[in-house]
Amino acid sequence: MKIELVENVLKANDELAALNRKQFSDAGVFCIDLLGGPGCGKTALIEATLQRIGYAGVIVGDLATQRDAERMARFTDQVVQINTGKGCHLEAHHVMRAMSRIDLSRIDFLFIENVGNLICPVGFDLGQHVKVGMFSTTGGDDKAAKHPYIVHESNLLLLNKIDLLRHVPFNLAVFRGDVRRLNPTVEMLELSALTGDGIEQWVAWIDQQREHWIGRKAVL
Amino acid sequence: MKIELVENVLKANDELAALNRKQFSDAGVFCIDLLGGPGCGKTALIEATLQRIGYAGVIVGDLATQRDAERMARFTDQVVQINTGKGCHLEAHHVMRAMSRIDLSRIDFLFIENVGNLICPVGFDLGQHVKVGMFSTTGGDDKAAKHPYIVHESNLLLLNKIDLLRHVPFNLAVFRGDVRRLNPTVEMLELSALTGDGIEQWVAWIDQQREHWIGRKAVL
């Protein structure tokens, strides 16, 4: 009974997600779902990215406050904040509703900043083209091993706050080894949203993925 | 239908939690549920605490791996690791089952390290005497405002990694102000599990709370 209910919820979510994805693809909008724990630097990364690419929109999920939307509104007017209350992840219907407030004809990229949570958002398709999982050096080198689900499901894994590496106990070889063991083919990038280290590689990855999924390059 | 199901799950959880709490109290074991996002330093804090207090046990929740239990087993033989798979929080039945592997007559304190998640664990009573919510300076000064539920529900809020304050963009006044606005009476402690700053105040708080809930001081 309980399992059936959960399956129905996921099935309904998948159907809406497929509609979202079709709408994004038809409009030539490449959509990224960015997932990571609270404080890993998702908002800072999107801010740094918006300063390097034009024509981008953001849908940002949080339990409460408009703070992230306010931060990103400095760089684009296509921003929608979703407050989930006690909800621990975004679902496809959130994104569908938020899309009605975004002019898809004016953007090439859409970033969905999921609720800060390494666990629950992973299982919900939102209609994105790619999922990007984010860790940080300050979160400890054991977090990939402890969160295998996000490592399996991500198209790209980011390790942020690489600038703080010398101040924290974090063994890069351990982290990389855990990722490789869990997902031998996933791409990895190390960067600092704060200092800008690695951001060019990240932007290049986005652009290349957009070409793959949408069929043409954006004007970067 | 869905709401009723959720209410039943929570009601069943509360009943088990009450049984757990009675068993802890009867055995003179003071129980702390430690909640915080992934990488905020929960394991490191418990490690630092175990080196200062004797007769303590730990129940630790993670999606995968035995790494935290192995870290804590260096300081006490009363450690149980729970792997939740894709489960985003501990529930009272997890704790009840783990208790059968802990000798309550040999401990004064029991730490439950919840799954690294600032959202989902908050709503589930495990049978603890107090809930302690944990943030970190590396997670950003906006995290209390974005997670009002844990600020409301905690008996004590910890701000960890205070040693990294000069390396990260974190405004202490903003963080403290958000906490006070959301919960004017909650106690707050700033500390570093790594350097030991503030750990004595934390241990004193635990000891004082044990006296309040259990009715007598432990031999620290």
Side-chain angles (χ1 to χ4, degrees):
Chain A
M1 182 64 163
K2 194 182 166 190
I3 288 168
E4 196 186 310
L5 186 69
V6 170
E7 278 176 359
N8 285 346
V9 168
L10 283 177
K11 190 159 170 279
N13 183 77
D14 283 351
E15 286 168 4
L16 289 188
L19 292 175
N20 291 349
R21 185 155 31 241
K22 184 173 185 325
Q23 209 175 333
F24 292 138
S25 298
D26 289 350
V29 173
F30 175 57
C31 181
I32 295 174
D33 181 14
L34 183 59
L35 307 105
C40 71
K42 296 181 292 303
T43 312
L45 178 65
I46 294 175
E47 284 182 293
T49 312
L50 294 177
Q51 292 173 66
R52 283 164 179 85
I53 64 176
Y55 308 108
V58 187
I59 295 172
V60 52
D62 270 311
L63 271 59
T65 82
Q66 304 287 322
R67 292 188 191 192
D68 285 356
E70 287 162 14
R71 284 170 62 179
M72 306 212 257
R74 294 178 296 152
F75 307 108
T76 171
D77 58 356
Q78 302 293 319
V79 181
V80 180
Q81 174 93 47
I82 298 169
N83 281 156
T84 58
K86 291 180 182 173
C88 52
H89 61 275
L90 293 180
E91 299 187 11
H93 67 87
H94 292 121
V95 172
M96 184 170 273
R97 240 174 303 167
M99 276 163 72
S100 66
R101 292 161 57 197
I102 287 184
D103 184 351
L104 293 180
S105 73
R106 290 185 50 212
I107 60 174
D108 291 326
F109 303 92
L110 180 68
F111 297 93
I112 302 174
E113 182 185 333
N114 221 308
V115 177
N117 184 329
L118 267 173
I119 307 168
C120 315
V122 182
F124 287 85
D125 187 359
L126 304 180
Q128 74 288 330
H129 295 103
V130 294
K131 285 192 189 197
V132 174
M134 194 166 182
F135 295 95
S136 73
T137 59
T138 56
D141 55 26
D142 57 352
K143 291 304 170 292
K146 284 184 174 182
H147 297 86
Y149 193 25
I150 196 171
V151 176
H152 286 302
E153 296 293 320
S154 295
N155 298 83
L156 171 71
L157 287 177
L158 300 176
L159 178 65
N160 190 28
K161 308 195 187 183
I162 205 77
D163 56 304
L164 293 175
L165 203 50
R166 66 184 181 283
H167 299 298
V168 294
F170 188 100
N171 187 325
L172 260 181
V174 166
F175 178 80
R176 289 174 183 155
D178 286 336
V179 169
R180 273 290 153 261
R181 186 174 46 78
L182 291 164
N183 187 342
T185 60
V186 68
E187 290 186 76
M188 277 194 270
L189 267 182
E190 289 148 21
L191 49 77
S192 167
L194 202 65
T195 66
D197 281 344
I199 295 291
E200 296 313 317
Q201 289 94 309
W202 156 244
V203 169
W205 185 87
I206 293 172
D207 200 33
Q208 169 213 328
Q209 289 290 313
R210 183 180 190 281
E211 192 176 7
H212 175 76
W213 289 96
I214 303 297
R216 58 183 184 276
K217 273 195 180 288
V219 190
L220 276 193
Chain B
M1 183 63 163
K2 193 182 167 190
I3 289 168
E4 195 187 309
L5 186 68
V6 170
E7 278 176 358
N8 285 345
V9 168
L10 283 176
K11 191 160 169 278
N13 183 77
D14 284 352
E15 287 168 5
L16 288 189
L19 292 175
N20 290 351
R21 186 153 34 241
K22 185 173 185 321
Q23 208 175 334
F24 292 139
S25 298
D26 288 350
V29 173
F30 175 58
C31 180
I32 295 174
D33 181 14
L34 183 60
L35 307 105
C40 71
K42 297 181 293 301
T43 311
L45 177 65
I46 294 175
E47 284 181 294
T49 311
L50 294 176
Q51 293 174 66
R52 283 163 179 86
I53 64 177
Y55 308 109
V58 187
I59 295 173
V60 53
D62 271 310
L63 270 59
T65 83
Q66 304 287 322
R67 292 189 190 190
D68 285 356
E70 285 162 13
R71 284 169 63 179
M72 307 211 256
R74 294 177 297 154
F75 306 108
T76 171
D77 58 356
Q78 301 292 317
V79 182
V80 179
Q81 174 94 45
I82 298 169
N83 281 157
T84 59
K86 291 180 182 173
C88 52
H89 61 275
L90 293 179
E91 299 187 12
H93 69 86
H94 292 121
V95 172
M96 183 170 275
R97 239 173 304 166
M99 277 163 70
S100 67
R101 290 161 57 196
I102 288 184
D103 184 350
L104 294 180
S105 74
R106 290 185 48 212
I107 60 174
D108 291 325
F109 305 92
L110 180 68
F111 297 93
I112 302 175
E113 182 186 333
N114 220 308
V115 177
N117 184 330
L118 267 173
I119 307 168
C120 315
V122 182
F124 287 84
D125 188 359
L126 305 180
Q128 75 288 332
H129 295 102
V130 294
K131 284 190 190 200
V132 174
M134 193 166 185
F135 295 95
S136 72
T137 59
T138 55
D141 54 27
D142 57 352
K143 291 304 170 293
K146 285 184 173 181
H147 296 88
Y149 193 25
I150 196 171
V151 176
H152 286 303
E153 296 292 320
S154 294
N155 298 83
L156 171 71
L157 287 177
L158 301 176
L159 179 64
N160 189 30
K161 308 195 187 183
I162 205 76
D163 56 304
L164 293 176
L165 202 50
R166 67 185 182 283
H167 299 298
V168 294
F170 188 100
N171 187 323
L172 258 180
V174 166
F175 178 80
R176 289 174 182 153
D178 285 336
V179 169
R180 273 290 152 264
R181 184 173 48 76
L182 291 165
N183 188 342
T185 59
V186 68
E187 290 187 77
M188 276 193 271
L189 267 183
E190 290 148 20
L191 50 76
S192 168
L194 202 65
T195 65
D197 280 346
I199 295 290
E200 295 313 319
Q201 291 95 306
W202 156 245
V203 170
W205 185 87
I206 293 173
D207 200 34
Q208 168 213 328
Q209 289 288 315
R210 184 181 190 280
E211 190 175 9
H212 175 77
W213 288 96
I214 304 296
R216 58 184 186 275
K217 273 193 179 291
V219 188
L220 276 195

